Amino acid sequence: MSFVGKVWKLLVGVKDGLVLIFMLLFFMALFAVLSARPSPGQVREGALLIELDGFVVEERSEIDPLQTFLSGQAPVAEHQSRDLVTALNAAATDERIKAVVLDLSSFVGGGQVHMQAIGEAMDRVRKAEKPVLTYALGYGDDHMHLAAHASEVWINPLGGAVIAGPGGSNLYYGDLLERLNINARIYRVGTFKSAVEPYSRNSMSDAARENLAGLYGAMWEEWQANVKKARPSLDLERVTSDPVEWVTSSQGDLAKAALDAGLVDKLGDRIAFGERVAELAGEDAWSKKPGAYATAEFAPFLADVTPSASGKTIGVVTVAGEIVDGDAGPGTAGGDRIARILDEALDDDLAGLVVRVDSPGGSVLASEEIRLAIERHRAKDIPVAISFANVAASGGYWVATAGDRIFAQPETVTGSIGVFAVLPTFEDAAAEYGVNADGYRTTPLSGQPDLVGGLTPEVDAILQASIEDTYADFLGRVAKARGMETARVDEIAQGRVWDGGTARQLKLVDQFGGLEEALAWVAAEAELEEDGYSPRFLGAGTAQYDSLIRQMLTSSSPDTSGARGGDLFAMAARERGALLGRLASDVERLSGTAGCSGLLPRMPCHAQRRIKHQGPRCSDNAEGSVHGLESALRCAHARLFIRLPAIAKAAHALAPGAIAGGFER
């Protein structure tokens, strides 16, 4: 029996060993699949197909598969603007590419700066005598910004187009909060810092209206100029001045109206469109489906044409999305994460640094942490350029004060040099229901913050003084960086937002230009040859699983599929989603933003991408009396408002594609 027992143990051991080996091989294979990258060998000759579903962004968010699974919602697809421009630039000279096709059926939107950059890249393809075609069921402002640069613009006969222009409505809760006996205590510096107005008013102030009229007027003029230049045949005046007459003249046929006004060139379904592309780029030898054509897929083509590093290295760090404390991002500008990325590059022998900013602002502490990390690079005596994308306001501009030179585009939204905070208290609401607060204090700060009993006058004064001190710091940093008197900075600050053209006149920006111009300036300052450098995007590595999981999840994203119905009714549905998104954002701000983290302005409706908000965090290690009080306020605030974030999340669930937060519409 002892011999049989030993044999049995041997067999069990062999079995267990084989199971472990097979499990190891399985997980190794799974890891290989999940970390798969597009292969350059997959590039085929034909038309470069860019399926532009979802948003165009500066920095793509990293997908957390566990969080995505728990949320029950697939993320909206995101495309980095620089990737699209790189692919289009390469397509202009690549002999394998016979034409470029942009499928805008599921396109949601992008920033005006990004749209113009992509459009100019499309122009370079056309200049190389290669056709560029777009197809969609419905064209909106951002669709048309791109389509204007195409050689052929196709629309489904059942579709339509509408040009709305920037602007719209905002939500105001002053009367509601008064009815609920909620005291929205507002602390701010800046006549034009209007992000707090929804909690104290029932309408827009004259100052805010004046500011937005100037901003949106400039952005609208720039949009029209760009589109008219790219598409001279477009009768934009007719489309925007009297849209009812324009549509009714075609008996309500929106596709025909778009054709008559020169918005589009051809009416046809996908099969007819595919047949046209096949005439230009060749038929698909692998498929006999109606409308098939020879296709070069975007991902493998981008992998094939992305230039390899050569020469000296110029670092590029991206500050995109809301600036928040902690390690958030990519896609959200976590102060700790970005500062760590910059510090890790201090020993990398960089020839220079470019800071690419596409942020409406956020936390003062996180903004300062990023600014100080940039200063550590400047201390190494290397040139540092700041490159603004769509928006670089408030905290985004705070970060920019660490640079040697600031680049922006005429469409960039910048400025918003001001500070605010909103803190609700409930003493009146509690008293209405017979709840009163009383006690004994040894100092005016004892028992504070008391959100039910109310804040003492001393606490009110301290909080306002803290905001004023932060504003003074902001003015000082801008004045030093821009070589201006503090009083002059105060005149153009006060929370006012500016378009890039006006900001340049006011000396808040040095020159017009994008990322490439900023890189060229740094190279010149570092005395590098024109082809003697290459950019390296710091911290740009993605998680190993991100590539395949992103493709799997976003291909069936409900947000994207919802965008496919691109007729006017679908666009109206998305506006409903945007409204709910703004409601969710306002609830989150009231319930989760306190203290000096309120640098965040409100983002324009065409601003194109969702800003990810984080809930309130409590810190037991706040330093200094003011920051300690603010931290305590945050904690008490978070505990009292534990249910409001759930309301915000519910609103987001109703509007998964909504744009949450930013500048006022």
Side-chain angles (χ1 to χ4, degrees):
M1 291 295 293
S2 60
F3 174 75
V4 174
K6 291 179 180 179
V7 171
W8 178 253
K9 288 182 179 180
L10 176 63
L11 292 175
V12 170
V14 171
K15 182 263 296 180
D16 291 342
L18 290 174
V19 169
L20 290 174
I21 291 173
F22 280 119
M23 288 181 65
L24 180 62
L25 291 174
F26 170 77
F27 285 110
M28 288 176 62
L30 180 62
F31 177 82
V33 170
L34 291 178
S35 61
R37 294 290 190 273
S39 170
Q42 298 172 0
V43 178
R44 298 167 53 196
E45 186 174 296
L48 174 62
L49 174 60
I50 302 177
E51 295 179 302
L52 205 57
D53 52 338
F55 293 96
V56 172
V57 299
E58 181 64 35
E59 181 181 53
R60 190 166 56 185
S61 305
E62 188 173 284
I63 291 180
D64 184 337
L66 179 60
Q67 185 177 13
T68 301
F69 173 77
L70 294 176
S71 70
Q73 292 181 352
V76 181
E78 295 176 340
H79 304 268
Q80 293 185 151
S81 174
R82 66 173 181 266
D83 291 342
L84 296 167
V85 171
T86 297
L88 288 167
N89 287 340
T93 57
D94 196 306
E95 295 182 354
R96 297 169 296 181
I97 304 303
K98 310 302 181 185
V100 172
V101 172
L102 272 74
D103 187 344
L104 304 178
S105 301
S106 301
F107 182 47
V108 179
Q112 203 163 321
V113 170
H114 288 156
M115 296 300 96
Q116 184 62 21
I118 297 168
E120 291 172 356
M122 294 167 64
D123 290 339
R124 290 189 283 272
V125 176
R126 292 183 62 185
K127 191 175 181 179
E129 298 184 353
K130 295 184 180 182
V132 179
L133 300 89
T134 67
Y135 181 88
L137 177 60
Y139 286 88
D141 293 20
D142 293 343
H143 301 74
M144 205 61 229
H145 199 155
L146 297 180
H149 296 268
S151 49
E152 291 186 22
V153 181
W154 284 65
I155 191 172
N156 189 292
L158 298 179
V162 60
I163 304 300
S169 300
N170 199 31
L171 299 175
Y172 292 85
Y173 311 101
D175 289 346
L176 173 63
L177 295 177
E178 183 178 350
R179 180 176 300 180
L180 296 175
N181 285 324
I182 297 175
N183 297 328
R185 296 174 180 266
I186 294 172
Y187 308 91
R188 72 166 178 174
V189 180
T191 304
F192 299 95
K193 201 69 175 180
S194 56
V196 297
E197 289 187 357
Y199 309 110
S200 62
R201 300 177 56 90
N202 57 18
S203 63
M204 183 180 291
S205 68
D206 292 339
R209 194 177 304 278
E210 173 194 339
N211 191 187
L212 289 184
L215 175 66
Y216 286 154
M219 296 180 71
W220 177 229
E221 288 180 6
E222 194 68 31
W223 187 94
Q224 292 181 88
N226 290 332
V227 171
K228 287 178 181 178
K229 179 181 178 181
R231 193 172 180 82
S233 61
L234 170 59
D235 190 354
L236 192 57
E237 178 67 23
R238 180 186 176 196
V239 173
T240 57
S241 62
D242 192 353
V244 175
E245 186 279 328
W246 164 56
V247 172
T248 55
S249 65
S250 298
Q251 291 75 49
D253 189 331
L254 297 174
K256 185 176 183 300
L259 183 64
D260 291 343
L263 286 166
V264 302
D265 300 304
K266 302 280 187 180
L267 304 184
D269 59 15
R270 283 188 175 275
I271 294 177
F273 175 73
E275 291 172 348
R276 171 58 178 158
V277 178
E279 293 177 6
L280 300 170
E283 297 182 357
D284 190 349
W286 296 2
S287 175
K288 299 303 180 184
K289 291 182 179 180
Y293 54 89
T295 300
E297 298 293 340
F298 174 76
F301 180 74
L302 178 64
D304 187 39
V305 301
T306 299
S308 56
S310 61
K312 298 288 289 184
T313 299
I314 297 177
V316 181
V317 66
T318 303
V319 181
E322 182 186 354
I323 300 175
V324 300
D325 301 323
D327 290 325
T332 300
D336 291 346
R337 178 182 64 85
I338 295 175
R340 184 170 59 251
I341 289 172
L342 286 166
D343 287 343
E344 289 173 352
L346 284 171
D347 298 325
D348 289 352
D349 192 28
L350 299 178
L353 178 69
V354 175
V355 182
R356 179 69 167 175
V357 180
D358 192 26
S359 171
S363 164
V364 172
L365 298 177
S367 299
E368 176 66 1
E369 189 172 5
I370 296 170
R371 189 193 69 83
L372 291 174
I374 298 170
E375 289 284 6
R376 287 191 282 275
H377 279 267
R378 287 186 70 190
K380 296 187 65 178
D381 198 27
I382 62 172
V384 176
I386 310 294
S387 173
F388 289 168
N390 304 293
V391 56
S394 206
Y397 198 88
W398 180 296
V399 167
T401 60
D404 296 310
R405 194 165 186 82
I406 298 178
F407 293 78
Q409 299 289 13
E411 306 92 337
T412 299
V413 177
T414 188
S416 192
I417 301 170
V419 189
F420 75 89
V422 181
L423 178 68
T425 59
F426 305 88
E427 58 271 29
D428 294 340
E432 182 180 0
Y433 290 95
V435 178
N436 297 286
D438 195 9
Y440 176 78
R441 296 188 178 97
T442 55
T443 75
L445 302 184
S446 297
Q448 294 293 311
D450 189 342
L451 301 185
V452 175
L455 306 182
T456 63
E458 291 81 1
V459 171
D460 257 335
I462 289 174
L463 290 177
Q464 181 60 35
S466 172
I467 295 295
E468 292 173 1
D469 177 67
T470 302
Y471 181 67
D473 288 343
F474 205 163
L475 294 181
R477 282 167 173 74
V478 175
K480 181 180 179 181
R482 307 307 301 164
M484 302 166 65
E485 294 294 330
T486 302
R488 173 56 181 160
V489 176
D490 188 32
E491 290 177 9
I492 62 178
Q494 291 292 320
R496 186 159 189 161
V497 288
W498 304 98
D499 62 277
T502 306
R504 186 185 180 192
Q505 295 174 7
L506 296 173
K507 299 183 179 180
L508 291 174
V509 167
D510 291 301
Q511 71 181 76
F512 290 146
L515 180 59
E516 290 301 321
E517 288 75 16
L519 286 167
W521 180 85
V522 169
E525 291 294 304
E527 300 181 350
L528 304 178
E529 298 293 333
E530 186 174 341
D531 56 352
Y533 67 92
S534 60
R536 177 163 68 88
F537 288 88
L538 307 178
T542 57
Q544 294 294 326
Y545 53 75
D546 190 78
S547 179
L548 183 62
I549 289 181
R550 181 179 297 276
Q551 182 178 352
M552 292 169 57
L553 292 176
T554 58
S555 63
S556 59
S557 168
D559 298 322
T560 301
S561 60
R564 285 191 177 276
D567 57 13
L568 290 182
F569 292 99
M571 292 180 181
R574 288 201 296 273
E575 283 300 309
R576 175 194 68 89
L579 176 66
L580 291 173
R582 291 200 303 277
L583 174 61
S585 171
D586 291 339
V587 170
E588 286 189 7
R589 175 174 289 146
L590 190 62
S591 64
T593 302
C596 292
S597 62
L599 276 176
L600 180 67
R602 303 175 63 80
M603 208 165 185
C605 62
H606 54 282
Q608 329 65 291
R609 67 153 303 163
R610 47 174 80 179
I611 298 294
K612 295 174 176 60
H613 293 267
Q614 295 200 347
R617 280 183 292 275
C618 301
S619 172
D620 295 326
N621 300 313
E623 297 180 1
S625 60
V626 171
H627 291 303
L629 179 59
E630 290 169 359
S631 179
L633 285 168
R634 282 198 183 116
C635 296
H637 199 196
R639 289 192 292 269
L640 185 61
F641 267 74
I642 193 169
R643 293 189 178 184
L644 280 178
I647 299 173
K649 290 180 180 178
H652 276 302
L654 291 171
I659 301 169
F663 291 100
E664 288 163 333
R665 296 188 54 172

